[in-house]
Amino acid sequence: MTARCITLLTDFGTADGYVGEVKGVLATLAPGAVIVDISHDVRPQDIDGARLAVARYWRRFPPGTVHLVVVDPGVGSGRAAIAVASGDRLLVGPDNGVLSPALFAVDAQVVALPVPPNAAPTFHGRDVFAPVAAQLANGVPLHELGDAWHSAIRRRTPEPTKRQDGAVQGEVITIDRFGNAVTNLYARADGWLEVASTMLPVVRTYAEVETGTRVGVVGSTGLLEVAVRNGNASHDLHLSRGAMVVWHPSRRSS
Amino acid sequence: MTARCITLLTDFGTADGYVGEVKGVLATLAPGAVIVDISHDVRPQDIDGARLAVARYWRRFPPGTVHLVVVDPGVGSGRAAIAVASGDRLLVGPDNGVLSPALFAVDAQVVALPVPPNAAPTFHGRDVFAPVAAQLANGVPLHELGDAWHSAIRRRTPEPTKRQDGAVQGEVITIDRFGNAVTNLYARADGWLEVASTMLPVVRTYAEVETGTRVGVVGSTGLLEVAVRNGNASHDLHLSRGAMVVWHPSRRSS
Amino acid sequence: MTARCITLLTDFGTADGYVGEVKGVLATLAPGAVIVDISHDVRPQDIDGARLAVARYWRRFPPGTVHLVVVDPGVGSGRAAIAVASGDRLLVGPDNGVLSPALFAVDAQVVALPVPPNAAPTFHGRDVFAPVAAQLANGVPLHELGDAWHSAIRRRTPEPTKRQDGAVQGEVITIDRFGNAVTNLYARADGWLEVASTMLPVVRTYAEVETGTRVGVVGSTGLLEVAVRNGNASHDLHLSRGAMVVWHPSRRSS
């Protein structure tokens, strides 16, 4: 049998040693599991950024994988701590929406986790979530870890809206490291994208345009992205999360 | 038997490939060990930052773990290279204080490591420390790796001082990624914290205050921290390492 | 038999979850392999930076290791995707020069990889390179993965030039995290280094000079570096890639 993976996504950074503490707990309690770093560079307390990352990777890992996600501005408050079984994967984290991608599956089961009395009120990653992730990796069934929890917070990317003229209005949902602005528009490799008062052609790949050209392009999750070939669209067009984008079936002055 | 962990803490960054070289040496010489990244983002040559991180994680890992720590501004100088056995863990690094948390244990044993003649004078991480970490992970006893070394440098966090009026004066020892200012004051969840000419209440958890409120809070290592709920105390209060903080048993004008 | 390593070098950053997707593919298709992060912090689309990092680490890992390198500004264009067997290691990445260090070996074999029809045109790391890296780690022979490819792009560090007066003229090829400026001059621990209109002595180790002194020093790959002991030479001397450096056998006014 292959060892189970426990993946880690946090906003801790690594330099302070907090991630080291979490890994020490995992290595101690689940010595047979494989620890896989996803990222510790999520912007501090950026729940939506973490949620979008989780959406990308959670189902790419083998069945049985445990995904530990700790972006937790509400630590120590009344927010629940949860564990989720969904689509043959297991997830652990705060009940603030970061685990949403797994909560929308029809088979999703959720339990609320008890907080041990000696847990540090500022560090549930180490004292609540990591021990539970270790138990799940060791094969402890979900229902033994807490009571069923039916009110888990589900955050979702806003839906784009169809307009009467055939255009579809959406928004930028995240900016990636390359400066590409990912939108909530379902990708189709035609038409035009209106953004920041300019009209950009939608192409299938960067290869269709010259270096420095601004385009709409089909992204790797099936959403349209605003990109500059070998450049940074976010800087060039002053785009940030929430910026309006409109897809048009044909070119028109904006 | 479970594979031994070798953890890595450096100030190398990762992009240059230096960490890759160290991992290649470890994977070659200790193929059965599990390599665990703690961080490579320690501020360049920040011995105290590394020391505080080590204090957090070194005992969280299973017995037998080898902690490799390379923050080494004195590389190539006369500073010793050491390996330490302490509290059932093993540590390797330069003799500059980064390994101090393990040196204070009563059972700590230290040896000075020979520097192979072909070691690069600027990269003991690759040529001195990694090979020794691999040998320790392979079960080679400490005393076979060098001669006993009794003058290892011990750095410690300064002790706070009690004042006649019942207050306790301390300082900020580090700023974490969230902007929390960790102090050297032992935590107690009452009283007031005087910092940057303001008086902040000490609370047990962020949950007791509104977003944006400045507080003293019990940190996850048992020390008081200056924090802003869902904000950045270091920026707000212009705090950096060494800033004075005073704990008062009751509120008073500062 | 020891598990094979698959190392990862990308310019993806980690926060967006792209690296998570790649790791999920690897964990699914090559569950017995060990995933080793080299870096995800290569400057976006910095082919030469990645190439220099690869040169440092690729031969440090055990025979059989698979090195996955994805710095790929030409993704989706006509550039080939390649896999390489060289010096008992295997490498996978775009045909843009990042794998050059392995291509210069006399035994290097290269194949061009087919792009699956459902591969995302913007993310060959996930859909082309990771599946091939997994197959190589599983022992699939190189020649089964594609047709021989004889026109792989080889990028190399420019050679220094000898001058009639005995001096050798070179350039800065990269700046590392410590601000050291690595040159293309073969190291010898004597003479003088002329850089930014100043003459610096060449020393064997930092230990020979005081903190803050600017020197030429023998770097850990056998090349001369411009360094400031416990300081940042790149900032002090305003050095960047391509800056001219000249080694002189004896001191002279510049």
PDB file of all heavy atoms in Angstrom, chain A residues 11 13-14 16 18 20-21 23-24 28 40 42 45 73 76-77 121 126, chain B residues 2 36-39 56 60-62 176-178 204-205 207 220 230:
ATOM      1  N   ASP A  11      -1.063  30.334   5.211  1.00  0.00           N
ATOM      2  CA  ASP A  11      -0.578  31.701   4.986  1.00  0.00           C
ATOM      3  C   ASP A  11       0.480  32.056   6.031  1.00  0.00           C
ATOM      4  O   ASP A  11       0.688  33.227   6.339  1.00  0.00           O
ATOM      5  CB  ASP A  11      -1.748  32.696   5.048  1.00  0.00           C
ATOM      6  CG  ASP A  11      -2.457  32.705   6.402  1.00  0.00           C
ATOM      7  OD1 ASP A  11      -2.169  31.834   7.253  1.00  0.00           O
ATOM      8  OD2 ASP A  11      -3.315  33.575   6.618  1.00  0.00           O
ATOM      9  N   GLY A  13       3.782  31.805   5.915  1.00  0.00           N
ATOM     10  CA  GLY A  13       5.190  31.925   5.569  1.00  0.00           C
ATOM     11  C   GLY A  13       5.926  30.769   6.213  1.00  0.00           C
ATOM     12  O   GLY A  13       5.324  29.939   6.900  1.00  0.00           O
ATOM     13  N   THR A  14       7.230  30.689   6.003  1.00  0.00           N
ATOM     14  CA  THR A  14       7.954  29.574   6.622  1.00  0.00           C
ATOM     15  C   THR A  14       8.981  30.044   7.647  1.00  0.00           C
ATOM     16  O   THR A  14       9.361  29.284   8.533  1.00  0.00           O
ATOM     17  CB  THR A  14       8.696  28.735   5.561  1.00  0.00           C
ATOM     18  OG1 THR A  14       9.591  29.584   4.831  1.00  0.00           O
ATOM     19  CG2 THR A  14       7.710  28.080   4.611  1.00  0.00           C
ATOM     20  N   ASP A  16       9.178  31.872  10.288  1.00  0.00           N
ATOM     21  CA  ASP A  16       8.959  31.949  11.730  1.00  0.00           C
ATOM     22  C   ASP A  16       9.006  30.591  12.420  1.00  0.00           C
ATOM     23  O   ASP A  16       9.079  30.515  13.644  1.00  0.00           O
ATOM     24  CB  ASP A  16       7.608  32.607  12.024  1.00  0.00           C
ATOM     25  CG  ASP A  16       7.527  34.022  11.478  1.00  0.00           C
ATOM     26  OD1 ASP A  16       8.463  34.801  11.722  1.00  0.00           O
ATOM     27  OD2 ASP A  16       6.533  34.339  10.793  1.00  0.00           O
ATOM     28  N   TYR A  18       6.504  28.342  12.285  1.00  0.00           N
ATOM     29  CA  TYR A  18       5.165  27.803  12.565  1.00  0.00           C
ATOM     30  C   TYR A  18       4.890  26.562  11.704  1.00  0.00           C
ATOM     31  O   TYR A  18       4.333  25.574  12.171  1.00  0.00           O
ATOM     32  CB  TYR A  18       4.076  28.844  12.278  1.00  0.00           C
ATOM     33  CG  TYR A  18       4.164  30.117  13.074  1.00  0.00           C
ATOM     34  CD1 TYR A  18       4.055  31.361  12.444  1.00  0.00           C
ATOM     35  CD2 TYR A  18       4.324  30.100  14.450  1.00  0.00           C
ATOM     36  CE1 TYR A  18       4.117  32.548  13.170  1.00  0.00           C
ATOM     37  CE2 TYR A  18       4.387  31.286  15.178  1.00  0.00           C
ATOM     38  CZ  TYR A  18       4.283  32.508  14.531  1.00  0.00           C
ATOM     39  OH  TYR A  18       4.338  33.681  15.238  1.00  0.00           O
ATOM     40  N   GLY A  20       7.096  24.608  10.544  1.00  0.00           N
ATOM     41  CA  GLY A  20       7.937  23.560  11.118  1.00  0.00           C
ATOM     42  C   GLY A  20       7.236  22.858  12.270  1.00  0.00           C
ATOM     43  O   GLY A  20       7.286  21.633  12.390  1.00  0.00           O
ATOM     44  N   GLU A  21       6.561  23.630  13.097  1.00  0.00           N
ATOM     45  CA  GLU A  21       5.831  23.017  14.214  1.00  0.00           C
ATOM     46  C   GLU A  21       4.733  22.085  13.711  1.00  0.00           C
ATOM     47  O   GLU A  21       4.550  20.975  14.216  1.00  0.00           O
ATOM     48  CB  GLU A  21       5.210  24.094  15.094  1.00  0.00           C
ATOM     49  CG  GLU A  21       6.217  24.890  15.884  1.00  0.00           C
ATOM     50  CD  GLU A  21       5.528  25.859  16.823  1.00  0.00           C
ATOM     51  OE1 GLU A  21       5.195  25.481  17.951  1.00  0.00           O
ATOM     52  OE2 GLU A  21       5.313  27.024  16.421  1.00  0.00           O
ATOM     53  N   LYS A  23       4.576  20.551  10.833  1.00  0.00           N
ATOM     54  CA  LYS A  23       5.173  19.359  10.233  1.00  0.00           C
ATOM     55  C   LYS A  23       5.703  18.405  11.301  1.00  0.00           C
ATOM     56  O   LYS A  23       5.641  17.185  11.131  1.00  0.00           O
ATOM     57  CB  LYS A  23       6.294  19.758   9.274  1.00  0.00           C
ATOM     58  CG  LYS A  23       5.790  20.425   8.004  1.00  0.00           C
ATOM     59  CD  LYS A  23       6.950  20.755   7.059  1.00  0.00           C
ATOM     60  CE  LYS A  23       6.424  21.307   5.736  1.00  0.00           C
ATOM     61  NZ  LYS A  23       7.539  21.679   4.814  1.00  0.00           N
ATOM     62  N   GLY A  24       6.218  18.959  12.385  1.00  0.00           N
ATOM     63  CA  GLY A  24       6.685  18.110  13.474  1.00  0.00           C
ATOM     64  C   GLY A  24       5.547  17.312  14.076  1.00  0.00           C
ATOM     65  O   GLY A  24       5.684  16.116  14.357  1.00  0.00           O
ATOM     66  N   THR A  28       5.248  13.229  13.799  1.00  0.00           N
ATOM     67  CA  THR A  28       5.177  12.457  15.035  1.00  0.00           C
ATOM     68  C   THR A  28       3.926  11.582  15.074  1.00  0.00           C
ATOM     69  O   THR A  28       3.993  10.402  15.413  1.00  0.00           O
ATOM     70  CB  THR A  28       5.177  13.414  16.251  1.00  0.00           C
ATOM     71  OG1 THR A  28       6.389  14.168  16.228  1.00  0.00           O
ATOM     72  CG2 THR A  28       5.076  12.646  17.564  1.00  0.00           C
ATOM     73  N   HIS A  40       2.918  28.081   1.474  1.00  0.00           N
ATOM     74  CA  HIS A  40       2.780  28.811   2.727  1.00  0.00           C
ATOM     75  C   HIS A  40       2.801  30.313   2.457  1.00  0.00           C
ATOM     76  O   HIS A  40       2.910  31.113   3.375  1.00  0.00           O
ATOM     77  CB  HIS A  40       3.878  28.375   3.699  1.00  0.00           C
ATOM     78  CG  HIS A  40       3.875  26.902   3.897  1.00  0.00           C
ATOM     79  ND1 HIS A  40       2.869  26.266   4.582  1.00  0.00           N
ATOM     80  CD2 HIS A  40       4.674  25.920   3.424  1.00  0.00           C
ATOM     81  CE1 HIS A  40       3.072  24.963   4.541  1.00  0.00           C
ATOM     82  NE2 HIS A  40       4.157  24.723   3.842  1.00  0.00           N
ATOM     83  N   VAL A  42       0.346  32.005   0.743  1.00  0.00           N
ATOM     84  CA  VAL A  42      -0.948  32.650   0.572  1.00  0.00           C
ATOM     85  C   VAL A  42      -0.898  33.988   1.296  1.00  0.00           C
ATOM     86  O   VAL A  42      -0.306  34.101   2.372  1.00  0.00           O
ATOM     87  CB  VAL A  42      -2.070  31.760   1.162  1.00  0.00           C
ATOM     88  CG1 VAL A  42      -3.402  32.485   1.193  1.00  0.00           C
ATOM     89  CG2 VAL A  42      -2.166  30.458   0.372  1.00  0.00           C
ATOM     90  N   GLN A  45      -4.324  35.794   5.594  1.00  0.00           N
ATOM     91  CA  GLN A  45      -5.771  35.845   5.831  1.00  0.00           C
ATOM     92  C   GLN A  45      -6.591  35.973   4.544  1.00  0.00           C
ATOM     93  O   GLN A  45      -7.750  36.409   4.585  1.00  0.00           O
ATOM     94  CB  GLN A  45      -6.089  36.957   6.835  1.00  0.00           C
ATOM     95  CG  GLN A  45      -5.162  36.818   8.074  1.00  0.00           C
ATOM     96  CD  GLN A  45      -5.459  37.787   9.181  1.00  0.00           C
ATOM     97  OE1 GLN A  45      -6.039  38.839   8.947  1.00  0.00           O
ATOM     98  NE2 GLN A  45      -5.084  37.425  10.388  1.00  0.00           N
ATOM     99  N   PRO A  73      -8.254  33.622   9.727  1.00  0.00           N
ATOM    100  CA  PRO A  73      -8.320  34.893  10.473  1.00  0.00           C
ATOM    101  C   PRO A  73      -9.203  34.816  11.711  1.00  0.00           C
ATOM    102  O   PRO A  73      -9.047  35.624  12.616  1.00  0.00           O
ATOM    103  CB  PRO A  73      -8.891  35.885   9.448  1.00  0.00           C
ATOM    104  CG  PRO A  73      -9.411  35.068   8.316  1.00  0.00           C
ATOM    105  CD  PRO A  73      -8.676  33.765   8.334  1.00  0.00           C
ATOM    106  N   GLY A  76      -9.488  31.160  17.256  1.00  0.00           N
ATOM    107  CA  GLY A  76      -9.759  31.565  18.626  1.00  0.00           C
ATOM    108  C   GLY A  76     -11.125  32.185  18.823  1.00  0.00           C
ATOM    109  O   GLY A  76     -11.546  32.433  19.945  1.00  0.00           O
ATOM    110  N   SER A  77     -11.819  32.437  17.715  1.00  0.00           N
ATOM    111  CA  SER A  77     -13.180  32.966  17.833  1.00  0.00           C
ATOM    112  C   SER A  77     -14.143  31.780  17.832  1.00  0.00           C
ATOM    113  O   SER A  77     -13.749  30.632  17.946  1.00  0.00           O
ATOM    114  CB  SER A  77     -13.492  33.884  16.659  1.00  0.00           C
ATOM    115  OG  SER A  77     -13.653  33.125  15.476  1.00  0.00           O
ATOM    116  N   PRO A 121      -4.986  29.276  21.717  1.00  0.00           N
ATOM    117  CA  PRO A 121      -6.106  29.949  21.030  1.00  0.00           C
ATOM    118  C   PRO A 121      -5.681  30.635  19.736  1.00  0.00           C
ATOM    119  O   PRO A 121      -6.515  30.986  18.917  1.00  0.00           O
ATOM    120  CB  PRO A 121      -6.581  30.988  22.046  1.00  0.00           C
ATOM    121  CG  PRO A 121      -5.920  30.675  23.332  1.00  0.00           C
ATOM    122  CD  PRO A 121      -4.721  29.848  23.044  1.00  0.00           C
ATOM    123  N   ARG A 126      -1.549  24.011  14.543  1.00  0.00           N
ATOM    124  CA  ARG A 126      -0.690  23.052  15.240  1.00  0.00           C
ATOM    125  C   ARG A 126      -1.469  22.147  16.183  1.00  0.00           C
ATOM    126  O   ARG A 126      -1.209  20.942  16.251  1.00  0.00           O
ATOM    127  CB  ARG A 126       0.355  23.839  16.047  1.00  0.00           C
ATOM    128  CG  ARG A 126       1.345  22.988  16.810  1.00  0.00           C
ATOM    129  CD  ARG A 126       2.192  23.858  17.737  1.00  0.00           C
ATOM    130  NE  ARG A 126       1.392  24.387  18.846  1.00  0.00           N
ATOM    131  CZ  ARG A 126       1.787  25.353  19.676  1.00  0.00           C
ATOM    132  NH1 ARG A 126       2.970  25.925  19.505  1.00  0.00           N
ATOM    133  NH2 ARG A 126       1.000  25.771  20.653  1.00  0.00           N
TER     134      ARG A 126
ATOM    135  N   THR B   2      10.338   3.329  10.905  1.00  0.00           N
ATOM    136  CA  THR B   2      10.011   4.490  10.090  1.00  0.00           C
ATOM    137  C   THR B   2      11.283   5.233   9.690  1.00  0.00           C
ATOM    138  O   THR B   2      12.244   5.281  10.439  1.00  0.00           O
ATOM    139  CB  THR B   2       9.108   5.437  10.902  1.00  0.00           C
ATOM    140  OG1 THR B   2       7.980   4.685  11.352  1.00  0.00           O
ATOM    141  CG2 THR B   2       8.655   6.587  10.049  1.00  0.00           C
ATOM    142  N   VAL B  36      12.654  17.211   5.024  1.00  0.00           N
ATOM    143  CA  VAL B  36      11.527  18.079   5.363  1.00  0.00           C
ATOM    144  C   VAL B  36      12.002  19.533   5.353  1.00  0.00           C
ATOM    145  O   VAL B  36      12.895  19.905   6.119  1.00  0.00           O
ATOM    146  CB  VAL B  36      10.966  17.740   6.763  1.00  0.00           C
ATOM    147  CG1 VAL B  36       9.807  18.660   7.118  1.00  0.00           C
ATOM    148  CG2 VAL B  36      10.543  16.275   6.845  1.00  0.00           C
ATOM    149  N   ASP B  37      11.414  20.350   4.492  1.00  0.00           N
ATOM    150  CA  ASP B  37      11.754  21.768   4.499  1.00  0.00           C
ATOM    151  C   ASP B  37      11.112  22.462   5.687  1.00  0.00           C
ATOM    152  O   ASP B  37       9.897  22.367   5.885  1.00  0.00           O
ATOM    153  CB  ASP B  37      11.229  22.448   3.221  1.00  0.00           C
ATOM    154  CG  ASP B  37      12.026  22.072   1.993  1.00  0.00           C
ATOM    155  OD1 ASP B  37      13.238  22.345   1.963  1.00  0.00           O
ATOM    156  OD2 ASP B  37      11.432  21.478   1.070  1.00  0.00           O
ATOM    157  N   ILE B  38      11.905  23.158   6.464  1.00  0.00           N
ATOM    158  CA  ILE B  38      11.342  24.084   7.443  1.00  0.00           C
ATOM    159  C   ILE B  38      11.230  25.439   6.753  1.00  0.00           C
ATOM    160  O   ILE B  38      10.137  25.936   6.518  1.00  0.00           O
ATOM    161  CB  ILE B  38      12.220  24.181   8.711  1.00  0.00           C
ATOM    162  CG1 ILE B  38      12.384  22.803   9.359  1.00  0.00           C
ATOM    163  CG2 ILE B  38      11.605  25.191   9.678  1.00  0.00           C
ATOM    164  CD1 ILE B  38      11.126  22.176   9.896  1.00  0.00           C
ATOM    165  N   SER B  39      12.346  26.037   6.391  1.00  0.00           N
ATOM    166  CA  SER B  39      12.313  27.298   5.662  1.00  0.00           C
ATOM    167  C   SER B  39      13.658  27.548   5.009  1.00  0.00           C
ATOM    168  O   SER B  39      14.690  27.091   5.492  1.00  0.00           O
ATOM    169  CB  SER B  39      11.998  28.458   6.612  1.00  0.00           C
ATOM    170  OG  SER B  39      11.918  29.683   5.888  1.00  0.00           O
ATOM    171  N   ARG B  56      11.091  26.741  18.222  1.00  0.00           N
ATOM    172  CA  ARG B  56       9.707  26.344  18.016  1.00  0.00           C
ATOM    173  C   ARG B  56       9.567  24.876  17.596  1.00  0.00           C
ATOM    174  O   ARG B  56       8.673  24.172  18.038  1.00  0.00           O
ATOM    175  CB  ARG B  56       9.067  27.199  16.914  1.00  0.00           C
ATOM    176  CG  ARG B  56       8.738  28.612  17.347  1.00  0.00           C
ATOM    177  CD  ARG B  56       7.955  29.305  16.240  1.00  0.00           C
ATOM    178  NE  ARG B  56       7.345  30.516  16.724  1.00  0.00           N
ATOM    179  CZ  ARG B  56       6.192  30.585  17.383  1.00  0.00           C
ATOM    180  NH1 ARG B  56       5.488  29.493  17.614  1.00  0.00           N
ATOM    181  NH2 ARG B  56       5.727  31.738  17.807  1.00  0.00           N
ATOM    182  N   ARG B  60       9.378  19.185  18.303  1.00  0.00           N
ATOM    183  CA  ARG B  60       8.086  18.705  17.792  1.00  0.00           C
ATOM    184  C   ARG B  60       8.252  17.474  16.900  1.00  0.00           C
ATOM    185  O   ARG B  60       7.285  16.773  16.640  1.00  0.00           O
ATOM    186  CB  ARG B  60       7.410  19.815  16.975  1.00  0.00           C
ATOM    187  CG  ARG B  60       7.072  21.058  17.770  1.00  0.00           C
ATOM    188  CD  ARG B  60       5.670  21.003  18.313  1.00  0.00           C
ATOM    189  NE  ARG B  60       5.418  22.137  19.196  1.00  0.00           N
ATOM    190  CZ  ARG B  60       4.444  22.152  20.095  1.00  0.00           C
ATOM    191  NH1 ARG B  60       3.632  21.126  20.231  1.00  0.00           N
ATOM    192  NH2 ARG B  60       4.271  23.192  20.871  1.00  0.00           N
ATOM    193  N   PHE B  61       9.445  17.256  16.378  1.00  0.00           N
ATOM    194  CA  PHE B  61       9.686  16.121  15.480  1.00  0.00           C
ATOM    195  C   PHE B  61       9.995  14.862  16.284  1.00  0.00           C
ATOM    196  O   PHE B  61      10.376  14.945  17.449  1.00  0.00           O
ATOM    197  CB  PHE B  61      10.817  16.457  14.507  1.00  0.00           C
ATOM    198  CG  PHE B  61      10.361  17.318  13.365  1.00  0.00           C
ATOM    199  CD1 PHE B  61      10.264  18.695  13.512  1.00  0.00           C
ATOM    200  CD2 PHE B  61       9.977  16.756  12.155  1.00  0.00           C
ATOM    201  CE1 PHE B  61       9.815  19.493  12.474  1.00  0.00           C
ATOM    202  CE2 PHE B  61       9.528  17.545  11.109  1.00  0.00           C
ATOM    203  CZ  PHE B  61       9.447  18.915  11.271  1.00  0.00           C
ATOM    204  N   PRO B  62       9.851  13.710  15.652  1.00  0.00           N
ATOM    205  CA  PRO B  62      10.051  12.450  16.387  1.00  0.00           C
ATOM    206  C   PRO B  62      11.499  12.289  16.846  1.00  0.00           C
ATOM    207  O   PRO B  62      12.417  12.833  16.234  1.00  0.00           O
ATOM    208  CB  PRO B  62       9.712  11.370  15.352  1.00  0.00           C
ATOM    209  CG  PRO B  62       8.948  12.045  14.268  1.00  0.00           C
ATOM    210  CD  PRO B  62       9.399  13.472  14.269  1.00  0.00           C
ATOM    211  N   ASP B 176       6.515  38.398  13.381  1.00  0.00           N
ATOM    212  CA  ASP B 176       6.210  37.261  12.517  1.00  0.00           C
ATOM    213  C   ASP B 176       5.542  37.731  11.224  1.00  0.00           C
ATOM    214  O   ASP B 176       5.364  38.925  10.982  1.00  0.00           O
ATOM    215  CB  ASP B 176       5.400  36.183  13.259  1.00  0.00           C
ATOM    216  CG  ASP B 176       3.940  36.544  13.466  1.00  0.00           C
ATOM    217  OD1 ASP B 176       3.437  37.530  12.883  1.00  0.00           O
ATOM    218  OD2 ASP B 176       3.273  35.809  14.216  1.00  0.00           O
ATOM    219  N   ARG B 177       5.189  36.777  10.361  1.00  0.00           N
ATOM    220  CA  ARG B 177       4.672  37.138   9.036  1.00  0.00           C
ATOM    221  C   ARG B 177       3.373  37.927   9.094  1.00  0.00           C
ATOM    222  O   ARG B 177       3.015  38.628   8.157  1.00  0.00           O
ATOM    223  CB  ARG B 177       4.445  35.872   8.209  1.00  0.00           C
ATOM    224  CG  ARG B 177       4.214  36.225   6.746  1.00  0.00           C
ATOM    225  CD  ARG B 177       3.691  35.086   5.925  1.00  0.00           C
ATOM    226  NE  ARG B 177       3.682  35.445   4.519  1.00  0.00           N
ATOM    227  CZ  ARG B 177       2.774  35.043   3.659  1.00  0.00           C
ATOM    228  NH1 ARG B 177       1.800  34.242   4.039  1.00  0.00           N
ATOM    229  NH2 ARG B 177       2.829  35.428   2.400  1.00  0.00           N
ATOM    230  N   PHE B 178       2.633  37.770  10.190  1.00  0.00           N
ATOM    231  CA  PHE B 178       1.354  38.456  10.324  1.00  0.00           C
ATOM    232  C   PHE B 178       1.524  39.855  10.921  1.00  0.00           C
ATOM    233  O   PHE B 178       0.553  40.564  11.129  1.00  0.00           O
ATOM    234  CB  PHE B 178       0.398  37.623  11.171  1.00  0.00           C
ATOM    235  CG  PHE B 178       0.104  36.277  10.560  1.00  0.00           C
ATOM    236  CD1 PHE B 178       0.851  35.162  10.889  1.00  0.00           C
ATOM    237  CD2 PHE B 178      -0.890  36.154   9.614  1.00  0.00           C
ATOM    238  CE1 PHE B 178       0.599  33.932  10.308  1.00  0.00           C
ATOM    239  CE2 PHE B 178      -1.159  34.919   9.022  1.00  0.00           C
ATOM    240  CZ  PHE B 178      -0.408  33.811   9.369  1.00  0.00           C
ATOM    241  N   ARG B 204      -7.063  36.878  26.080  1.00  0.00           N
ATOM    242  CA  ARG B 204      -6.654  35.484  25.882  1.00  0.00           C
ATOM    243  C   ARG B 204      -6.688  35.097  24.407  1.00  0.00           C
ATOM    244  O   ARG B 204      -5.885  34.311  23.943  1.00  0.00           O
ATOM    245  CB  ARG B 204      -7.559  34.556  26.702  1.00  0.00           C
ATOM    246  CG  ARG B 204      -6.869  33.244  27.103  1.00  0.00           C
ATOM    247  CD  ARG B 204      -7.808  32.341  27.872  1.00  0.00           C
ATOM    248  NE  ARG B 204      -8.795  31.733  26.993  1.00  0.00           N
ATOM    249  CZ  ARG B 204      -8.584  30.600  26.314  1.00  0.00           C
ATOM    250  NH1 ARG B 204      -7.449  29.961  26.421  1.00  0.00           N
ATOM    251  NH2 ARG B 204      -9.521  30.101  25.515  1.00  0.00           N
ATOM    252  N   THR B 205      -7.664  35.649  23.670  1.00  0.00           N
ATOM    253  CA  THR B 205      -7.750  35.342  22.241  1.00  0.00           C
ATOM    254  C   THR B 205      -8.212  36.576  21.486  1.00  0.00           C
ATOM    255  O   THR B 205      -8.849  37.473  22.047  1.00  0.00           O
ATOM    256  CB  THR B 205      -8.754  34.207  21.927  1.00  0.00           C
ATOM    257  OG1 THR B 205     -10.059  34.772  21.820  1.00  0.00           O
ATOM    258  CG2 THR B 205      -8.741  33.142  22.991  1.00  0.00           C
ATOM    259  N   ALA B 207     -10.507  36.716  19.657  1.00  0.00           N
ATOM    260  CA  ALA B 207     -11.958  36.696  19.545  1.00  0.00           C
ATOM    261  C   ALA B 207     -12.633  37.648  20.518  1.00  0.00           C
ATOM    262  O   ALA B 207     -13.790  38.007  20.350  1.00  0.00           O
ATOM    263  CB  ALA B 207     -12.471  35.273  19.778  1.00  0.00           C
ATOM    264  N   SER B 220       1.466  31.402  20.874  1.00  0.00           N
ATOM    265  CA  SER B 220       1.440  29.942  20.859  1.00  0.00           C
ATOM    266  C   SER B 220       2.684  29.304  21.463  1.00  0.00           C
ATOM    267  O   SER B 220       2.766  28.089  21.575  1.00  0.00           O
ATOM    268  CB  SER B 220       1.271  29.443  19.424  1.00  0.00           C
ATOM    269  OG  SER B 220       2.327  29.909  18.604  1.00  0.00           O
ATOM    270  N   ASN B 230      -6.808  40.730  12.861  1.00  0.00           N
ATOM    271  CA  ASN B 230      -6.916  40.793  11.402  1.00  0.00           C
ATOM    272  C   ASN B 230      -6.162  41.991  10.812  1.00  0.00           C
ATOM    273  O   ASN B 230      -6.501  42.475   9.745  1.00  0.00           O
ATOM    274  CB  ASN B 230      -8.387  40.814  10.949  1.00  0.00           C
ATOM    275  CG  ASN B 230      -9.123  39.564  11.405  1.00  0.00           C
ATOM    276  OD1 ASN B 230      -8.513  38.577  11.814  1.00  0.00           O
ATOM    277  ND2 ASN B 230     -10.446  39.609  11.342  1.00  0.00           N
TER     278      ASN B 230
END
